[in-house]
Amino acid sequence: MSKTAILEIDSEKFELPIIKGSENEVAIDISKLRDLSGVITLDPGYKNSGSCTSEITFLDGELGILRYRGYSIEDLAGKGHFLEVSYLVIFGELPTAAQLEHFETNIRKYTLVNEEMKNIIDGFPKTAHPMGVLAALTSALTAFNPKSVNVENEKEMYEAVCKTMGKFLVIATWTYRKTMGYPLNYYDNTKGYVENFMRLMFELPTEPYKANQVVIDALDKLFILHADHEQNCSTSTVRMVGSSHAGLFASISAGVSALWGPLHGGANQAVLEMLEEIHRTGGDADKYLDKAKDKNDPFRLMGFGHRVYKNFDPRAKIIKKAADEVLATLGVDDPILAIAKKLEESALVDEYFVSRKLYPNVDFYSGIIYRALGIPTDMFTVMFAIGRLPGWIAQWKEMRENKEPIGRPRQIYTGHPLRDFKTSDKR
Ligand code: CMC
């Protein structure tokens, strides 16, 4: 392939560099196009625009490939653990046993959240959605950690990573305890990260808590599957906010808000609510399939379709298998699962879904598994956020280390031309 692309505008030719990625992805570098020609490119929703180069995650939506730092998601979910995969995503290499031990020890140093944060949680109504509370609490962490990290100082950056990993998990679970009226509890530094998640969520002061290893292993896998997904909506948000040199907590708080939307991470909650509604109204999955296809009906089949996967979402394949195993091991017989299976079977052979390449995505199955593990529906998107945290951190770190410029898209103005101001009596 040639090294440049030629763009012709009004018989004038402009030569633009072609950039090639390590997996042969090709981009035309238009960063100088406006300087050269006065013209910009327009791409609403960035369907065809790369915002950066990145070494973190490789994704091929046509072939259904997902890799973190060159390792396949199948290998990582099958053989790895969440903290070592987090280390890989953030620092670029799988940790040695000593590095992993050091990482865990350092995360533990930061698992105590300032007691004054409890006053902030107290201010929320019990009915507040956990994602709204999580975004606010993550942002509030800035107030307790006002010193912004010097990204060029390796030690400071490492500490900021550990601090974020430690504190975010605790406040994420506190959002649930708030809705339940449970006392806020503490991380147990003698236990693992994912086991702590379960304890932090469900341990009560009135009785000893017994962790279930099947549940912990399933959650660990789910967190790995969510750890990064290149330039999705929330990650792009984190990079964009961070590009103004806003701090890590502030940027991640913005990512939490972006993730909450039902077209992004909020879909896992929406899937379960959809399945419950189908069950409540008699279990007719085909009726909902028809609704999704009806262009006069805004309803979409939640958990189907993806901006980049035009083939099966590889994460969905792994979760589907894990869901079957976990449900069998825990002995869960859930009518919601039967409805999900029926929906999936019908959609996969339906012309509307087939022609648009709409396959089940990660959120279609994750909700079912979370439900089987006893995670409340309102917390599903928080689970996604916990899993995605290493990806957000890694992308923020990479963006700052690469000294990327402030994110500032342009636009094509389509409003009124210059108008004279008329005083109100003349309008
Ligand atoms: N149900 C029915 N029709 C759909 C759906 C759906 N779930 N998704 C897309 N379509 C149709 C859409 O109406 C359009 O049809 P037409 O060409 O006739 O106008 C066509 O498929 C293309 O859709 P699009 O909206 O242009 O596709 P997109 O790439 O902009 O949107 C999406 C991707 C994920 C937002 C969308 O598929 C969707 O809304 N899915 C449901 C929500 C969901 O499950 N989100 C989780 C995404 S995976 C987790 C994550 O990474 O956040």
Side-chain angles (χ1 to χ4, degrees):
M1 183 178 280
S2 61
K3 291 208 165 60
T4 54
I6 308 289
L7 180 70
E8 190 173 323
I9 307 170
D10 288 340
S11 329
E12 199 179 343
K13 288 192 174 150
F14 300 95
E15 201 171 344
L16 303 165
I18 287 185
I19 311 281
K20 222 171 181 190
S22 49
E23 291 289 339
N24 295 323
E25 293 167 294
V26 179
I28 301 170
D29 178 355
I30 52 110
S31 55
K32 299 275 183 303
L33 180 63
R34 189 171 179 278
D35 291 345
L36 296 170
S37 67
V39 168
I40 64 162
T41 55
L42 187 63
D43 184 18
Y46 309 114
K47 287 197 174 195
N48 198 51
S49 290
S51 60
C52 59
T53 58
S54 176
E55 295 180 358
I56 303 169
T57 290
F58 172 66
L59 197 167
D60 185 323
E62 277 71 33
L63 296 179
I65 295 174
L66 174 63
R67 293 182 203 143
Y68 304 153
R69 305 281 190 184
Y71 295 96
S72 80
I73 193 65
E74 291 78 11
D75 241 10
L76 292 170
K79 300 178 195 153
H81 293 289
F82 180 58
L83 277 194
E84 66 183 341
V85 173
S86 300
Y87 186 99
L88 167 74
V89 169
I90 297 169
F91 299 109
E93 294 296 338
L94 281 168
T96 61
Q99 282 169 328
L100 184 58
E101 169 74 31
H102 189 250
F103 188 46
E104 274 210 76
T105 308
N106 277 279
I107 289 174
R108 287 186 189 123
K109 261 173 51 189
Y110 296 108
T111 47
L112 198 59
V113 172
N114 195 305
E115 285 291 298
E116 284 183 277
M117 285 284 283
K118 293 184 175 174
N119 299 331
I120 300 175
I121 302 186
D122 269 350
F124 285 96
K126 260 179 86 170
T127 48
H129 193 283
M131 281 297 275
V133 180
L134 181 59
L137 293 182
T138 309
S139 182
L141 283 176
T142 316
F144 297 94
N145 302 272
K147 191 175 164 292
S148 61
V149 54
N150 173 6
V151 289
E152 277 160 40
N153 182 320
E154 210 176 305
K155 187 163 168 283
E156 266 193 42
M157 193 62 233
Y158 186 80
E159 274 171 11
V161 168
C162 297
K163 191 184 273 183
T164 310
M165 291 290 293
K167 297 199 187 295
F168 190 82
L169 185 78
V170 177
I171 58 171
T173 58
W174 280 3
T175 65
Y176 167 66
R177 295 187 78 90
K178 164 78 193 184
T179 63
M180 298 301 289
Y182 295 161
L184 302 180
N185 51 357
Y186 300 96
Y187 195 101
D188 177 346
N189 279 349
T190 65
K191 307 271 185 338
Y193 194 78
V194 180
E195 180 173 349
N196 258 293
F197 166 79
M198 288 302 286
R199 284 193 45 263
L200 282 159
M201 287 278 290
F202 299 116
E203 185 170 47
L204 298 176
T206 43
E207 54 196 83
Y209 179 78
K210 176 98 187 59
N212 180 336
Q213 199 55 42
V214 175
V215 174
I216 291 170
D217 291 346
L219 280 179
D220 197 286
K221 197 187 286 272
L222 281 160
F223 288 150
I224 292 175
L225 293 175
H226 286 89
D228 194 47
H229 212 234
E230 52 118 299
Q231 307 313 315
N232 56 83
C233 179
S234 58
T235 301
S236 301
T237 301
V238 170
R239 279 184 97 118
M240 171 73 98
V241 174
S243 76
S244 74
H245 292 195
L248 186 53
F249 290 134
S251 306
I252 285 173
S253 160
V256 171
S257 297
L259 185 72
W260 190 6
L263 298 189
H264 190 11
N268 56 15
Q269 176 172 345
V271 168
L272 227 281
E273 284 166 356
M274 176 187 78
L275 295 173
E276 278 167 349
E277 189 187 312
I278 299 176
H279 182 53
R280 226 183 9 256
T281 54
D284 187 353
D286 287 336
K287 189 174 110 196
Y288 284 81
L289 216 63
D290 289 340
K291 266 167 77 65
K293 294 190 288 186
D294 181 355
K295 288 288 161 206
N296 297 316
D297 190 327
F299 175 78
R300 282 190 164 199
L301 203 58
M302 299 314 286
F304 271 76
H306 199 277
R307 169 58 63 79
V308 285
Y309 291 122
K310 302 303 172 195
N311 193 330
F312 229 89
D313 180 339
R315 303 167 301 173
K317 270 193 200 163
I318 299 170
I319 296 196
K320 184 176 158 68
K321 189 160 166 278
D324 287 343
E325 282 164 14
V326 166
L327 292 165
T329 316
L330 297 177
V332 176
D333 182 16
D334 191 343
I336 294 290
L337 190 67
I339 293 172
K341 283 202 165 127
K342 169 83 186 71
L343 257 188
E344 183 198 352
E345 276 164 22
S346 303
L348 286 177
V349 293
D350 190 293
E351 197 278 327
Y352 175 95
F353 289 88
V354 173
S355 63
R356 288 170 180 74
K357 301 191 168 123
L358 301 170
Y359 292 90
N361 58 48
V362 68
D363 289 326
F364 189 68
Y365 304 104
S366 62
I368 295 165
I369 235 184
Y370 289 144
R371 181 180 153 102
L373 300 182
I375 311 289
T377 313
D378 262 9
M379 283 297 285
F380 287 5
T381 316
V382 173
M383 304 297 292
F384 193 151
I386 295 170
R388 183 53 54 85
L389 182 66
W392 287 335
I393 297 173
Q395 301 269 354
W396 187 95
K397 182 171 171 287
E398 181 181 70
M399 178 273 307
R400 289 298 307 275
E401 285 170 355
N402 286 352
K403 298 193 176 11
E404 284 176 20
I406 185 167
R408 203 308 186 180
R410 287 190 176 265
Q411 63 163 26
I412 294 293
Y413 176 69
T414 55
H416 283 281
L418 182 64
R419 300 196 269 180
D420 288 333
F421 180 87
K422 291 192 188 97
T423 51
S424 59
D425 55 319
K426 303 224 170 65
R427 279 174 218 159

